[in-house]
Amino acid sequence: MANDSTSPTADPAERPFGCLYRHGLARVAVATPAVTVADPAANLEHHLTLARQAHDRHAAVCLFPELGLTGYACDDLFHQTALLDAAEQALADLVEASNELMPLMLVGLPVRHGNAVYNCAAAVSRGVLLGLTPKIYLPNYREYYEKRYFASGASLMQIATDAHLPRIDTQIVQFRTRHSYSPADLPALSVTVEICEDFWAPIPPSTAAALGGANVLCNLSASNATIGKADRRRLLAAAHSARTVSAYLFSAAGPGESTTDLAWDGQTLIYENGDLLAEGDRFPDEPHIITADIDLDRLGAERTKLNTLRDSLNEEVGDYIGISSMAQPFELGLPDHAVPLEREIERFPFVPHDKAEVDQRCHDAFHIQVQGLAQRLKAAKLDKLVIGVSGGLDSTHALVVAAKTMDRLGLPRTDIHAFSLPGFATSAGTRTNAHRLAETLGVTMREIDITAACEQMLTDLDHPYSQGQRTPETYDIAFENVQAGQRTSVLFRLANHLNGLVVGTGDLSELALGFCTYGVGDHMSHYAVNCSVPKTLIQHLIRWTATTDDFAAARDVLLDIVDTEFSPELVPAGEDGDGGQPAQRAEDVVGPYELQDFHLFYALRYGYAPSKIAYLAHHAWKDVNAGLWPPTLTDHDPRNQYDLPTIKRWLRVFIQRYYGFAQFKRSAIPNGPKVSTGGSLSPRGDWRAPSDGSPAAWLADLDRVPDE
């Protein structure tokens, strides 16, 4: 039973870029075999059939149901020597057959040890029986009589000596309740097992295992079917995986189990940190297998941030730490060729895929913003709001938030003082929409043309523009920021004059990319309602508010604004008006917001390396027909696709801005509510970073990504 095979490529970084095992992911499988009650030899073949399918799909782990080698409903047959002998022989044969199979297999069977029979999970990998884990909690109520047949593993909490370990086909086996299995060629994977009722206990055994480092928790279950029970299993698996920041795999007994008094639905589940990744059909007529790709990096990133997990460590948990080193070393023999990712990667991680979830997220985000602004207005003992309205996306949503805030506080919307501040490059379309929006919302609107003031400033600066020059070089950063600074100066002085509060409009995407002017309106305000809302979500927020009764009158103009091109409108168009298009397109400078928001989510939320972000982005965006919901809601084709060179190009821009020169702006942003589950860039909240840091390490990692 020795494992003579070795992995040809132990270093994940040496595997092809298209191999999921290079990028901190692991495929797992959950199987429901057909069972012939009390016939281990037949059940062995059922198990091997599905194990080969898991192997062909490059799964690192394959989980089977409780007592699958004998069937769960054997009752007093569990005390028959012939059945126990046959079960142990089936396990020995499974170990031998596993030499040619990749997955770590977790199978269930009864095992004699000392003066008792235990309900066990066996861990098998490439010709080696790595360990046996006995069930701790034995149900003995209603339809269950397990204490009649089995002893609890609770008596085996300490490691047994070799003299008292069971032998399976002459092999001495580690027999203990605290096993954790981590293959040498995939050390980020740490697997632990528990059995059926253990899962239903107030503190499942896998809780301690997870705190000790296990990140894939596997439950071999029989769990007969009753009405509503499937929902309870989903609830427990989701909650337990979220509480322990783990993946949770569950396999229930299925076809072939005895229906003398019970029925079986063969439910299979794979959860990751509370998210359902895969579920098989219940009540299958045939054996079946489900797979999912677990993001081990995601689990690791969450765990390193959550000090509550570390604070939960105690002496009991301490026995798990490093336990895998006590088990027999093993390797999976991972493939060194490309293994495409099966996991669905959303193109818009800040926006759920499901329409109902989008609506719920918009509802929550909007009311978080409103509650934040309302509290700030009350705390400041003010009753007026001042806001610059450009007719663009961000200021539109900020104005809608302001209107709802006044409604909630019982104040008239006329106490919102909105200002259109047109300059050199303000287009007729955005200018008109700003006035239409203010009128339909019932706020006080006024226009102050900043052109003359900006011309005076440019003259004072002896700027080429004041000398009549109109070349592309004339429209430099000073030319742009004179306008941005003038608008901000006007708004703050208006707030002084009106005894009001300036509402900020800049969003999370702009802060991430540093695409805002230091100290001016999209960066500085008295309260920044959009500071944690990415551009891709703001688009949906505006569409969502347009469907509510509060803003029905503004529906047409809101939808018109959503379709407006992203532009700072600081550089004039040519003499021919450039066909009515703005002279500046924000996305020509910083890249497509839909793609940069994707990069931002994985950098901010999980701290992924650029190579992994590029891998995930390519998987999400490479196919033209993928991700049709939600659409991008700009003039882009919602069927957009990006090849790897394009992703690398814009990811490089993201890295240079996000990890480089943009941080000094984020270190000085005003207050604003955290909205997005992806995180906030507030220096008082989710993100603290040096303003003079270097992006070199991230750029070096990106340089290792191939072009194809």
Side-chain angles (χ1 to χ4, degrees):
M1 294 185 187
N3 181 6
D4 296 327
S5 64
T6 59
S7 172
T9 307
D11 183 359
E14 295 179 5
R15 297 190 179 99
F17 186 76
C19 180
L20 68 93
Y21 287 105
R22 172 174 173 163
H23 301 284
L25 294 132
R27 184 162 299 155
V28 297
V30 180
T32 298
V35 171
T36 303
V37 177
D39 188 347
N43 293 330
L44 168 64
E45 294 306 314
H46 299 323
H47 279 60
L48 284 174
T49 297
L50 295 179
R52 293 185 184 104
Q53 292 181 26
H55 171 85
D56 291 342
R57 295 172 70 168
H58 308 291
V61 178
C62 187
L63 172 69
F64 291 92
E66 176 184 17
L67 295 169
L69 288 181
T70 57
Y72 177 81
C74 289
D75 297 335
D76 283 351
L77 299 182
F78 285 125
H79 288 167
Q80 294 288 311
T81 300
L83 180 64
L84 297 174
D85 286 345
E88 293 181 8
Q89 183 59 51
L91 176 60
D93 293 341
L94 177 70
V95 171
E96 189 67 28
S98 71
N99 261 310
E100 305 302 321
L101 300 174
M102 172 180 156
L104 167 66
M105 290 181 282
L106 304 170
V107 300
L109 77 160
V111 173
R112 289 165 292 192
H113 178 52
N115 298 316
V117 178
Y118 293 87
N119 180 347
C120 289
V124 176
S125 177
R126 301 185 73 83
V128 177
L129 176 57
L130 299 173
L132 292 169
T133 302
K135 187 173 182 177
I136 294 177
Y137 296 103
L138 302 175
N140 221 61
Y141 53 84
R142 294 196 297 271
E143 65 263 45
Y144 302 113
Y145 295 90
E146 287 194 29
K147 288 186 178 180
R148 179 182 176 95
Y149 319 121
F150 304 116
S152 168
S155 61
L156 303 171
M157 298 299 282
Q158 300 299 320
I159 299 177
T161 64
D162 285 354
H164 295 91
L165 292 176
R167 291 176 178 267
I168 302 294
D169 191 28
T170 74
Q171 180 182 353
I172 296 177
V173 183
Q174 288 284 348
F175 186 67
R176 53 201 305 273
T177 60
R178 298 184 176 180
H179 274 305
S180 183
Y181 305 101
S182 185
D185 51 349
L186 190 59
L189 175 70
S190 181
V191 180
T192 194
V193 294
E194 59 190 9
I195 303 174
C196 202
E197 188 75 7
D198 294 344
F199 172 54
W200 300 76
I203 304 178
S206 60
T207 301
L211 292 173
N215 51 17
V216 176
L217 319 181
C218 298
N219 187 289
L220 299 83
S221 181
S223 192
N224 60 297
T226 57
I227 294 172
K229 196 172 187 180
D231 288 336
R232 182 58 63 91
R233 295 181 192 133
R234 295 186 192 101
L235 176 65
L236 290 174
H240 194 50
S241 67
R243 189 181 300 275
T244 58
V245 193
S246 306
Y248 200 88
L249 282 56
F250 177 89
S251 178
E257 279 287 2
S258 172
T259 57
T260 301
D261 293 299
L262 304 173
W264 317 86
D265 64 357
Q267 187 174 25
T268 50
L269 301 168
I270 301 175
Y271 278 86
E272 178 188 286
N273 196 22
D275 297 331
L276 178 63
L277 299 187
E279 179 175 3
D281 293 334
R282 296 175 59 221
F283 303 104
D285 294 326
E286 301 293 334
H288 74 280
I289 187 171
I290 63 171
T291 60
D293 296 337
I294 302 298
D295 193 335
L296 302 176
D297 286 345
R298 178 195 182 198
L299 300 175
E302 290 290 84
R303 287 181 168 191
T304 57
K305 293 177 183 177
L306 298 176
N307 62 287
T308 303
L309 285 174
R310 297 190 297 274
D311 293 344
S312 299
L313 292 172
N314 53 42
E315 291 182 3
E316 178 183 357
V317 177
D319 289 342
Y320 272 102
I321 299 176
I323 199 65
S324 59
S325 64
M326 302 177 67
Q328 186 167 351
F330 71 104
E331 291 187 354
L332 299 171
L334 295 176
D336 56 5
H337 56 80
V339 179
L341 187 65
E342 292 181 353
R343 181 187 180 105
E344 182 179 2
I345 303 297
E346 299 288 356
R347 288 183 165 189
F348 302 90
F350 288 106
V351 184
H353 190 78
D354 180 74
K355 178 64 167 61
E357 290 183 29
V358 172
D359 290 343
Q360 184 61 52
R361 183 162 300 187
C362 288
H363 172 277
D364 291 352
F366 182 67
H367 287 283
I368 289 170
Q369 291 176 281
V370 170
Q371 195 269 342
L373 182 57
Q375 173 60 27
R376 177 51 53 91
L377 199 57
K378 288 188 293 185
K381 296 180 170 55
L382 298 173
D383 56 9
K384 294 181 178 63
L385 296 174
V386 174
I387 184 171
V389 182
S390 67
L393 200 71
D394 295 340
S395 65
T396 292
H397 183 60
L399 182 58
V400 170
V401 169
K404 183 62 177 178
T405 300
M406 300 302 270
D407 294 346
R408 177 168 295 183
L409 293 175
L411 298 172
R413 290 188 182 181
T414 51
D415 280 347
I416 300 174
H417 293 267
F419 291 89
S420 172
L421 303 167
F424 297 120
T426 302
S427 67
T430 55
R431 188 174 184 176
T432 299
N433 277 342
H435 285 273
R436 287 175 60 203
L437 180 64
E439 181 180 356
T440 55
L441 293 180
V443 306
T444 300
M445 182 67 172
R446 181 182 168 193
E447 181 169 293
I448 300 176
D449 194 318
I450 65 167
T451 304
C454 291
E455 288 176 339
Q456 181 60 53
M457 176 65 75
L458 291 169
T459 298
D460 294 341
L461 295 176
D462 196 23
H463 190 273
Y465 182 87
S466 67
Q467 300 166 13
Q469 297 183 28
R470 299 293 186 270
T471 66
E473 291 75 20
T474 304
Y475 305 125
D476 58 9
I477 191 68
F479 177 85
E480 293 188 15
N481 285 348
V482 160
Q483 299 168 77
Q486 180 62 27
R487 289 186 173 116
T488 303
S489 178
V490 169
L491 290 174
F492 274 100
R493 301 299 73 78
L494 284 166
N496 296 151
H497 178 61
L498 297 168
N499 196 31
L501 181 146
V502 176
V503 178
T505 61
D507 64 48
L508 181 69
S509 305
E510 293 176 345
L511 285 172
L513 295 164
F515 198 58
C516 52
T517 305
Y518 190 91
V520 303
D522 52 0
H523 175 258
M524 190 53 60
S525 62
H526 289 133
Y527 196 73
V529 294
N530 290 338
C531 65
S532 181
V533 187
K535 193 80 76 177
T536 46
L537 182 56
I538 284 184
Q539 296 170 327
H540 289 278
L541 277 164
I542 293 176
R543 285 186 176 270
W544 176 81
T545 55
T547 66
T548 64
D549 293 339
D550 291 332
F551 303 102
R555 175 180 173 80
D556 290 344
V557 66
L558 287 172
L559 297 181
D560 193 21
I561 290 170
V562 166
D563 293 330
T564 300
E565 173 66 74
F566 300 133
S567 174
E569 293 195 332
L570 294 172
V571 173
E575 292 182 2
D576 60 357
D578 197 24
Q581 298 300 315
Q584 292 173 294
R585 297 181 72 255
E587 292 177 306
D588 289 342
V589 178
V590 297
Y593 277 115
E594 59 191 11
L595 191 57
Q596 298 295 37
D597 276 3
F598 185 97
H599 300 155
L600 170 61
F601 179 85
Y602 287 105
L604 174 60
R605 186 70 175 84
Y606 299 120
Y608 286 171
S611 55
K612 178 160 184 173
I613 295 176
Y615 172 76
L616 296 177
H618 187 228
H619 181 76
W621 288 96
K622 65 184 177 181
D623 294 328
V624 71
N625 291 319
L628 296 184
W629 173 262
T632 55
L633 302 181
T634 69
D635 64 349
H636 292 306
D637 184 344
R639 297 173 182 264
N640 263 1
Q641 64 182 130
Y642 299 105
D643 59 17
L644 196 53
T646 302
I647 290 169
K648 287 178 60 180
R649 172 194 173 193
W650 292 119
L651 183 52
R652 183 174 300 277
V653 170
F654 176 85
I655 291 169
Q656 290 168 334
R657 287 176 165 269
Y658 184 76
Y659 294 104
F661 63 82
Q663 180 57 39
F664 83 98
K665 298 179 182 180
R666 297 192 292 264
S667 296
I669 61 174
N671 295 171
K674 178 179 176 179
V675 172
S676 170
T677 56
S680 160
L681 288 171
S682 169
R684 300 165 298 277
D686 287 10
W687 185 250
R688 296 166 180 82
S691 294
D692 48 7
S694 169
W698 291 265
L699 292 171
D701 183 79
L702 181 63
D703 287 339
R704 290 190 283 270
V705 177
D707 287 334
E708 296 181 2

